[in-house]
């Protein structure tokens, strides 16, 4: 964004419950293009984690390769980060999560990283209901290699070269819904009001929380005719609802808009208030979400907001019955059976 | 007619049909000899299909303790008409051919230099059993009973074995013993028992055990403290993780809560399997995967990441015949180069070469210590022969005083007391190995970014040439440190002063090589042997090559991959290293090695291997 960021911060910046200011949640200076949607997403993650009073070092941030995958450097500087290989972040996240179930796992990926080279790993992370937040920063193109169409580029969308994309896009939200993801949302990088509460809810969700964020590429895919450029997305947004995230410990009253609302309790006890703009959406029904996504698409609109959530989600550890103590914390005495057991075993092999 | 005569020294081969339950009968045969105190070396020779095609089981009996393949067959037990023509040819002159005489033998199969033993297995079964499945299953048990009479196997040993095998399924004991008796009595009545080849009770086994290498490796992972296993099924490595799961269920369930102190993930592919191992290791757990050649190809990109980002990674590669799908159920040692230099760019990986199940156990446990000490991938290379066959082995031992070496990991307290800036890739101790921290250790200190792109000593991304080169040099320094850490080679000198001729070998070629050396010694040719147990090669390897005029390198692949590695990594002349190569998918035999060495060492009128390959060599 900008190469100059003053070290100076207002001495009386607001602090959260941990006594941290927002500065504690920031990362290195971004080297992405000025105006990149990804930087807004990083800022939303910073804001969400600050407001949730998460210990930054309790978060592991993982990514693959691509512009999006560079972003974990730009938030939560006190967290361990892992910039793995192209498309294979889900497996690294799975391993990390298996080793220590007590941390918060934030995965950031791009549309190339997830919908092409990493499609297999993405689908299997969904299938295993790995406890993590998985954000796709979706701009429909390959920014690092100068703007080739990605698998999420809409058919007919015009690239910087001026050529319309001949292929149908992969809609990651629909894919995630069909594969059984237990938390599915879509948002727009420029809509922080919607995105921040979604991130909070996704982090609190026990299981795979997927957020597809349309995040325009200002350099290679922000031209007229592109369906993932700022102007197109702004003009074609349709929110299914506004989400308010209410932390469990510190319940606050939120202002309600007119219309229906539903309270959903997350596993950590916190509450998500959903204000439905479209009464058609049943937040507990995959079918309803899938149908609405299609309906809105037919109207040339992009449906955003929380689309589906399974309140009874069980994450991978719960499904397979792993020890409550993180596996990495088990000691030799719990792991090594000793010579006596070997003696018996040797005896049985004679 | 001549009859081969031998006590406790012969090769017997069974020719069966895949899927007929012969494996357990054949196992019973091998184990009964083992329980009579005789060293045995059984090998499954099976096709890559589900059922119906020929499958063989070869057992070598040797009270001198030779466990490699000798070559040749003294007795063939042929229960498969489909392969009979081929099987009959394999029998050594004077040998024995046991067949099912329910149908008359095809005259084209009759050789006048071998001895035929016809037992109407099918007829006996049809008379005794009504159920077709029983007719098939007991046919195998009947020939084991007949062999008991023909070879003088103690019948009581067999009945005890049946009792052990079917403990918990007692109903099956009586019919199995009955089938053994049917065979035994038929042989006693119709043939002169025992034959020229026979067994006698010995005490040549001591406290050794019979176990396959994959099971031993899975126990090594248990004892080594692995908590995460991620894998994708592939022959012949599948039973490593199967074994791990079996023993985890027995040994790793928390008694209070019933929770699992382990996690096993059957991944969607090999790429994901190794990714999970890397993620788990990065986050402080001991994790491993097991695969075979095609899996190594798929895992290569991630292995490069683990090397460059310095993440402990343990991989067990049970080699099979390549390239590509090759012969999936046949054995080779042909992943050496693919593993040593897996991935693009300048990479090298630590390799371990076990030769016995005990070493599979020891080296798997050791692999975790090495990987964490060196912060790098460690690949243990076994093969199908060792991994899937029952091998005689020293019993497995664990020193209860032993502690895991978790390597250089800074804990919260150490970070708290640190005043200087933490440098993830800083060579503090001068051994090339930096310090790491597990994610989530300290609120403000010790976090870093792991990446496959170039970075400076503080893990900050940089493409600065100097910083990159410095990092690559440090990795080489770490490689030097690895030479001290890895298992040393095993040297066996011919005499006090040694010989001018040496052989270098590794892994499963050991047994046949040592036997070939004994054969040569009996013929007056002295040969020193060095068994390499790890890569990087330590100084002993250079010294061994330097101190011998001729060094044979014995391996089970076409291109002499270990030899290439030796030429690449040691300061030696390629001319000095003569390859002895077996790569047909069957384990190398002692006779083959003996003949190759003798041809050169004794100056026989055979094209020396050096000349033969000279054109290709340079």
């Amino acid at each position: 964004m900008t190469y100059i960021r003053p070290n100076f911060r207002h001495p009386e910046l607001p602090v959260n419950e941990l006594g941290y200011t927002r500065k504690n949640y920031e990362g290195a200076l971004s080297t992405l293009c000025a105006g990149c949607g990804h930087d807004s997403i990083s800022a939303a993650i910073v804001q969400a984690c600050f407001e949730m009073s998460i210990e930054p070092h309790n978060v592991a941030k993982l990514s693959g390769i691509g512009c999006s995958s560079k972003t974990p450097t730009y938030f939560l500087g006190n967290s361990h980060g892992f910039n793995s290989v192209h498309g294979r972040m889900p497996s690294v996240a799975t391993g990390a999560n298996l080793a220590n179930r007590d941390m918060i796992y934030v995965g950031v990926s791009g549309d190339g990283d997830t919908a092409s080279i990493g499609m297999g790993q993405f689908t299997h992370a969904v299938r295993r209901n790995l406890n993590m937040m998985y954000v796709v920063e979706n701009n429909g193109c390959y920014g690092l290699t100068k703007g080739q169409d990605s698998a999420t580029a809409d058919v007919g969308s015009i690239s910087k070269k001026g050529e319309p994309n001949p292929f149908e896009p992969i809609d990651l939200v629909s894919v995630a819904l069909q594969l059984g993801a237990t938390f599915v949302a879509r948002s727009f990088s420029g809509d922080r009001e919607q995105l921040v509460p979604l991130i909070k809810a996704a982090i609190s969700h026990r299981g795979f929380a997927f957020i597809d964020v349309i995040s325009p590429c200002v350099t290679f895919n922000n031209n007229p005719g592109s369906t993932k450029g700022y102007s197109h997305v702004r003009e074609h947004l349709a929110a299914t609802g506004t989400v308010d995230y209410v932390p469990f410990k510190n319940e606050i009253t939120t202002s309600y808009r007119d219309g229906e609302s539903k309270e959903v309790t997350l596993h950590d006890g916190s509450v998500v208030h959903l204000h439905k703009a479209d009464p058609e959406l049943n937040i507990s029904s995959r079918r309803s979400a899938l149908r609405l996504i299609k309906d809105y698409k037919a109207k040339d609109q992009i449906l955003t907001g929380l689309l589906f959530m399974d309140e009874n989600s069980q994450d991978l550890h719960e499904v397979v019955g792993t020890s409550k103590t993180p596996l990495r914390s088990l000691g030799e005495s719990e792991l090594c059976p000793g010579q006596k057991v070997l003696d018996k075993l040797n005896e049985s092999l004679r | 007619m001549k009859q081969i005569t031998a006590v406790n020294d012969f090769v017997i081969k069974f020719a069966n049909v895949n899927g007929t339950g012969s494996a357990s009968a054949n196992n019973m045969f091998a184990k009964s000899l083992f329980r009579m105190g005789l060293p045995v070396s059984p090998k499954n020779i099976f096709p890559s299909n589900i059922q119906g095609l020929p499958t063989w089981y070869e057992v070598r009996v040797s009270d001198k303790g030779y466990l490699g393949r000798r070559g040749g067959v003294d007795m063939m037990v042929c229960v498969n008409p489909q392969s009979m023509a081929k099987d009959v040819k394999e029998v050594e002159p004077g040998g024995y051919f046991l067949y099912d005489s329910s149908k008359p033998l095809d005259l084209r199969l009759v050789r006048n230099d071998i001895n035929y033993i016809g037992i109407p297995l099918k007829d006996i079964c049809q008379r005794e059993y009504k159920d077709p499945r029983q007719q098939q299953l007991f046919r195998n048990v009947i020939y084991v009973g007949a062999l008991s009479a023909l070879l003088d196997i103690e019948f009581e040993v067999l009945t005890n074995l049946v009792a052990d095998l079917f403990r918990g399924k007692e109903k099956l004991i009586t019919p199995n013993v009955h089938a053994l008796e049917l065979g035994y009595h038929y042989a006693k009545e119709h043939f002169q028992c025992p034959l020229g080849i026979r067994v006698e009770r010995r005490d040549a086994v001591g406290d050794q055990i019979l176990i396959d290498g994959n099971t031993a490796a899975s126990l090594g992972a248990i004892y080594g403290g692995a908590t995460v296993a991620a894998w994708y099924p592939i022959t012949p490595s599948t039973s490593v993780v199967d074994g791990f799961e079996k023993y985890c269920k027995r040994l790793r369930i928390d008694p209070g809560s019933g929770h699992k102190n382990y996690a096993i993930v059957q991944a969607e592919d090999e790429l994901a399997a190794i990714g999970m191992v890397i993620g788990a290791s990065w986050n402080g757990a001991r994790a491993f995967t097991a695969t075979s050649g095609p899996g190594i190809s798929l895992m290569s990109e991630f292995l490069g990441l683990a090397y460059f980002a310095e993440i402990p990674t343990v991989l067990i590669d049970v080699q099979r015949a390549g390239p590509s799908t090759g012969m999936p159920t046949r054995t080779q040692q042909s992943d050496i180069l693919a593993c040593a230099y897996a991935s693009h760019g300048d990479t090298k990986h630590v390799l371990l070469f076990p030769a016995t199940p005990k070493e599979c156990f020891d080296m798997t446990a050791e692999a975790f210590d090495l990987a964490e000490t060196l912060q790098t991938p460690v690949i243990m290379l076994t093969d199908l022969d060792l991994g899937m066959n029952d091998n005689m082995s020293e019993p497995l031992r664990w020193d209860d005083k032993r502690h895991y070496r978790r390597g250089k990991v800074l804990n919260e307290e150490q970070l708290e007391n640190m005043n200087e800036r933490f440098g993830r890739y800083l060579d503090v101790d001068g051994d090339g190995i930096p310090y790491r921290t597990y994610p989530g250790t300290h609120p403000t200190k010790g976090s870093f970014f792991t990446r496959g792109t170039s970075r400076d000593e503080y893990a900050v991304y940089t493409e600065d040439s100097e910083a990159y080169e410095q990092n690559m040099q440090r990795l080489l320094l770490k490689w030097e440190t690895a030479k001290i850490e890895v298992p040393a080679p095993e040297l066996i000198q011919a005499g006090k002063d040694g010989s001018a001729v040496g052989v270098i070998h590794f892994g499963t070629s050991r047994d046949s090589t040592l036997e070939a050396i004994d054969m040569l010694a009996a013929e007056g040719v002295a040969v020193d042997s060095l068994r390499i147990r790890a890569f990087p090669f330590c100084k002993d390897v250079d010294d061994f090559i330097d101190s011998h005029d001729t060094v044979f390198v014995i391996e089970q692949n076409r291109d002499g991959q270990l030899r290439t590695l030796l030429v690449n990594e040691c300061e030696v002349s390629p001319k000095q290293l003569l390859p002895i190569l077996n790569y047909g998918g069957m384990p190398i035999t002692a006779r083959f090695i003996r003949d190759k060495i003798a041809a050169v060492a004794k100056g026989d009128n055979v094209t020396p291997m050096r000349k033969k390959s000279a054109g290709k060599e340079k």
Side-chain angles (χ1 to χ4, degrees):
Chain A
M1 257 162 87
T2 166
Y3 289 95
I4 306 155
R5 184 167 66 192
N7 268 331
F8 173 78
R9 294 285 191 286
H10 193 282
E12 283 167 34
L13 276 177
V15 292
N16 63 13
E17 275 179 49
L18 296 172
Y20 291 151
T21 66
R22 273 187 61 139
K23 193 170 186 270
N24 297 90
Y25 294 84
E26 289 169 356
L29 206 59
S30 170
T31 59
L32 298 172
C33 310
C36 178
H38 299 359
D39 284 328
S40 312
I41 300 170
S42 297
I45 294 173
V46 167
Q47 188 180 334
C49 292
F50 166 73
E51 287 175 7
M52 288 174 87
S53 296
I54 285 170
E55 280 282 8
H57 74 292
N58 198 32
V59 178
K61 39 182 193 173
L62 303 109
S63 64
I65 296 291
C67 295
S68 61
S69 295
K70 289 163 80 79
T71 64
T73 320
Y74 315 139
F75 58 83
L76 301 181
N78 280 327
S79 305
H80 271 64
F82 197 139
N83 192 187
S84 67
V85 294
H86 201 9
R88 324 284 178 205
M89 173 268 279
S91 63
V92 178
T94 306
N97 186 308
L98 288 175
N100 184 1
R101 62 189 292 174
D102 285 352
M103 292 180 73
I104 293 165
Y105 294 91
V106 172
V108 181
S109 182
D111 40 312
D113 199 58
T114 289
S116 288
I117 190 165
M119 190 67 170
Q121 296 216 340
F122 168 67
T123 56
H124 285 270
V126 174
R127 183 180 151 254
R128 294 191 186 103
N129 204 20
L130 188 68
N131 192 11
M132 72 180 296
M133 173 174 77
Y134 191 108
V135 177
V136 169
E137 302 184 344
N138 188 350
N139 56 21
C141 80
Y142 285 73
L144 273 187
T145 48
K146 298 194 186 287
Q148 297 81 4
D149 283 334
S150 84
T152 65
D154 290 305
V155 63
S157 178
I158 294 162
S159 68
K160 203 180 180 188
K161 277 190 201 156
E163 287 166 23
N165 171 34
F167 303 114
E168 280 295 328
I170 291 174
D171 179 33
L172 290 170
V173 162
S174 302
V175 170
L177 278 167
Q178 280 167 343
L179 288 168
T182 50
F183 181 108
V184 182
R186 175 172 277 152
S187 192
F188 170 51
S189 61
D191 187 357
R192 193 183 289 196
E193 254 181 55
Q194 185 192 51
L195 186 54
V196 171
L198 277 178
I199 290 171
K200 290 180 183 175
I203 287 174
S204 300
H205 177 70
R206 187 185 291 167
F208 195 82
F210 177 59
I211 312 178
D212 180 40
V213 189
I214 313 287
S215 171
C217 174
V218 288
T219 306
F220 294 108
N221 203 17
N222 196 30
N223 39 301
S226 157
T227 58
K228 292 212 167 45
Y230 277 113
S231 57
H232 180 93
V233 176
R234 281 215 177 89
E235 281 160 23
H236 295 79
L237 274 184
T240 175
T242 311
V243 180
D244 275 329
Y245 171 82
V246 187
F248 176 56
K249 283 187 234 162
N250 189 18
E251 271 195 50
I252 48 162
T253 326
T254 47
S255 61
Y256 286 70
R257 269 206 237 148
D258 289 345
E260 281 185 61
S261 68
K262 187 188 176 184
E263 289 189 358
V264 179
T265 309
L266 298 169
H267 279 94
D268 64 354
S270 52
V271 178
V272 179
H273 289 288
L274 297 159
H275 309 260
K276 286 189 210 166
D278 191 327
E280 288 289 304
L281 181 68
N282 174 359
I283 203 71
S284 310
S285 159
R286 288 177 200 283
R287 262 168 66 191
S288 151
L290 281 164
R291 199 188 62 234
L292 274 184
I293 291 165
K294 272 193 181 164
D295 290 352
Y296 274 78
K297 195 174 177 202
K299 289 188 277 181
D300 202 17
Q301 288 190 311
I302 304 160
L303 184 64
T304 64
L306 180 57
L307 301 167
F308 174 79
M309 192 166 94
D310 177 355
E311 293 168 57
N312 302 313
S313 162
Q314 281 202 314
D315 91 318
L316 178 59
H317 283 283
E318 291 168 296
V319 172
V320 299
T322 336
S323 138
K324 297 264 190 240
T325 311
L327 291 176
R328 83 164 190 208
S329 308
L330 295 171
E332 286 176 48
S333 58
E334 285 138 309
L335 299 176
C336 188
Q339 179 60 37
K340 261 191 192 162
V341 171
L342 272 188
D343 286 339
K344 269 192 198 159
L345 223 124
N346 285 325
E347 201 42 55
S348 73
L349 296 164
R350 287 184 181 122
Chain B
M1 190 202 304
K2 182 194 161 196
Q3 289 197 344
I4 295 176
T5 57
V7 179
N8 296 344
D9 185 11
F10 57 88
V11 174
I12 180 168
K13 192 169 175 181
F14 300 82
N16 295 103
V17 182
N18 211 7
T20 55
S22 57
S24 53
N26 296 342
N27 262 320
M28 198 196 296
F29 169 82
K31 195 139 192 191
S32 66
L33 303 190
F34 180 69
R35 286 197 174 180
M36 282 177 69
L38 299 175
V40 286
S41 167
K43 293 193 192 302
N44 248 311
I45 303 156
F46 60 107
S48 178
N49 68 57
I50 312 298
Q51 69 172 46
L53 284 181
T55 179
W56 293 270
Y57 188 80
E58 188 179 287
V59 183
R60 172 147 193 215
V61 189
S62 159
D63 63 3
K64 289 198 192 98
Y66 293 127
L67 299 175
R69 273 185 83 224
R70 184 199 68 183
V73 175
D74 301 310
M75 181 174 199
M76 180 71 75
V77 178
C78 186
V79 201
N80 186 4
Q82 212 185 328
S83 62
M84 216 178 232
K86 179 176 179 277
D87 296 333
V88 79
K89 282 185 196 152
E90 272 192 56
V91 182
E92 303 262 294
Y96 307 86
F97 189 81
L98 190 158
Y99 68 102
D100 186 348
S101 61
S102 304
K103 267 202 216 162
L105 190 68
D106 185 338
L107 287 176
R108 284 169 297 182
L109 300 178
V110 176
R111 276 171 58 180
N112 51 22
D113 62 341
I114 61 172
N115 307 286
Y116 288 85
I117 302 160
I119 300 179
L121 297 169
K122 197 178 165 198
D123 289 348
I124 300 176
C125 282
Q126 275 181 342
R127 194 184 66 221
E128 293 284 327
Y129 307 100
K130 283 204 184 84
D131 178 49
R133 181 70 186 151
Q134 283 191 336
Q135 287 176 357
Q136 191 181 53
L137 282 175
F138 286 122
R139 197 188 313 188
N140 306 314
V141 186
I142 291 171
Y143 70 65
V144 175
L147 288 172
S148 157
L150 293 165
L151 301 176
D152 240 1
I153 301 168
E154 292 169 20
F155 200 77
E156 203 191 344
V157 171
L158 278 170
T159 50
N160 287 343
L161 202 52
V162 168
D164 286 352
L165 276 174
F166 298 107
R167 189 163 292 150
K169 302 177 210 163
E170 270 73 17
K171 265 192 205 161
L172 295 171
I173 295 176
T174 316
N176 271 285
V177 171
H178 179 60
L180 284 172
E181 283 167 348
L182 287 171
Y184 182 86
H185 293 306
Y186 188 92
K188 277 274 181 196
E189 280 163 29
H190 293 82
F191 307 102
Q192 198 189 339
C193 294
L195 303 171
I197 53 170
R198 62 186 177 85
V199 296
E200 261 174 28
R201 179 172 277 279
R202 288 279 189 278
D203 192 11
V205 164
D207 64 348
Q208 295 197 74
I209 55 172
L210 258 189
I211 184 174
D212 65 83
N214 284 357
T215 302
S218 74
L219 282 160
I222 296 266
Y223 277 75
T227 51
V228 176
W231 68 303
Y232 187 76
I234 181 170
T235 303
S237 72
T238 304
S239 51
V240 174
V241 182
D242 280 349
F244 183 68
E245 183 157 28
K246 183 177 102 180
Y247 290 113
C248 276
K249 281 180 177 163
R250 223 184 269 177
L251 302 166
R252 285 280 188 79
I253 304 285
D254 182 68
S257 62
H259 289 141
K260 296 173 178 170
N261 285 340
Y262 65 95
I264 299 169
V265 184
Q266 185 183 321
E268 55 270 31
D269 53 34
E270 283 89 346
L271 297 91
I274 189 89
M276 289 175 200
V277 170
I278 289 169
S281 305
W282 171 74
N283 209 352
R286 289 194 151 185
F288 77 102
T289 186
T291 191
S292 188
I296 294 294
S297 300
L298 289 171
M299 291 176 179
S300 290
E301 184 191 24
F302 254 135
L303 282 169
L305 172 79
Y307 171 80
F308 196 45
E310 301 180 63
I311 302 166
T313 306
V314 173
L315 197 164
I316 297 167
D317 175 19
V318 189
Q319 299 168 94
R320 64 189 211 185
S324 188
T325 324
M327 296 192 285
T329 60
R330 302 303 159 110
T331 198
Q332 259 182 9
Q333 300 175 310
S334 52
D335 297 343
I336 314 294
L337 290 172
C339 286
Y341 301 130
S343 190
H344 51 273
D346 292 319
T347 51
K348 347 188 180 205
H349 306 296
V350 174
L351 310 180
L352 301 174
F353 304 111
T356 64
K358 180 168 188 297
E359 276 193 342
C360 287
F361 174 80
D362 291 341
M363 284 185 176
T364 303
E366 174 76 11
F368 294 100
D369 283 353
L370 274 174
E372 290 196 320
T373 300
L374 297 167
Q375 298 178 25
T376 201
V378 173
I379 307 173
M380 185 173 86
L381 282 150
T382 80
D383 58 26
L384 180 141
D385 182 21
L386 174 57
M388 288 187 73
N389 287 319
D390 274 339
N391 279 264
M392 251 180 53
S393 167
E394 294 288 315
L396 310 180
R397 301 235 184 274
W398 185 263
D399 178 1
D400 286 331
K401 286 183 212 122
R402 171 175 170 172
H403 289 290
Y404 299 154
R405 290 182 288 137
R406 303 299 311 257
K408 298 183 187 179
V409 181
L410 295 175
N411 61 26
E412 189 180 5
E413 200 189 337
Q414 287 167 312
L415 284 168
E416 184 58 41
N417 295 332
M418 227 172 129
N419 294 318
E420 64 276 32
R421 185 180 172 196
F422 166 68
R424 166 64 182 107
Y425 297 106
L426 203 58
D427 186 6
V428 179
D429 304 323
D431 56 4
I433 307 169
Y435 285 80
R436 66 175 184 142
T437 59
Y438 298 153
T441 304
H442 191 281
T444 53
K445 293 175 172 180
S447 72
F448 63 93
F449 216 91
T450 303
R451 48 163 63 87
T453 23
S454 181
R455 85 302 303 212
D456 66 12
E457 292 165 323
Y458 296 93
V460 177
Y461 172 77
T462 178
E463 289 177 23
D464 177 68
S465 299
E466 205 180 312
Y468 172 82
E469 284 173 6
Q470 206 179 10
N471 189 33
M472 292 300 279
Q473 283 301 319
R474 181 180 54 76
L475 288 169
L476 275 187
L477 181 62
K478 183 158 92 170
W479 189 248
E480 290 302 312
T481 306
K483 290 181 182 175
I484 308 160
E485 294 283 336
V486 297
E490 184 184 70
L491 172 72
I492 302 176
Q493 274 196 331
K496 225 165 123 196
D497 304 321
S499 164
V501 179
V503 295
I504 285 180
H505 60 105
F506 65 102
T508 48
S509 311
R510 183 190 78 153
D511 294 328
S512 300
T513 303
L514 297 184
E515 184 179 357
I517 289 173
D518 283 357
M519 288 174 173
L520 288 161
E523 297 162 24
V525 181
V527 179
D528 294 337
S529 126
L530 187 79
R531 180 166 67 94
I532 290 179
R533 301 204 303 154
F535 176 65
F537 306 125
C538 63
K539 200 175 158 288
D540 298 8
V541 178
D542 298 74
D543 292 348
F544 182 83
I545 298 171
D546 284 347
S547 59
H548 291 83
D549 297 339
T550 304
V551 176
F552 293 93
V553 184
I554 300 170
E555 38 188 329
Q556 306 192 48
N557 59 65
R558 186 192 68 180
D559 292 345
Q561 296 192 21
L562 183 76
R563 180 176 174 274
T564 303
L565 205 55
L566 287 164
V567 170
N568 243 11
E569 301 283 334
C570 305
E571 301 279 316
V572 297
S573 154
K575 284 186 199 164
Q576 215 180 331
L577 302 176
L578 306 188
I580 294 182
L581 306 169
N582 164 77
Y583 55 91
M586 290 292 291
I588 195 166
T589 66
R591 286 180 184 176
F592 176 81
I593 297 169
R594 180 249 157 232
D595 292 349
K596 293 284 184 193
I597 294 177
V600 175
K602 294 163 87 179
D604 287 5
N605 193 17
V606 177
T607 315
M609 275 155 287
R610 194 198 310 233
K611 270 189 189 162
K612 222 182 195 174
S613 55
K616 295 171 201 163
E617 228 169 65
K618 296 181 216 110

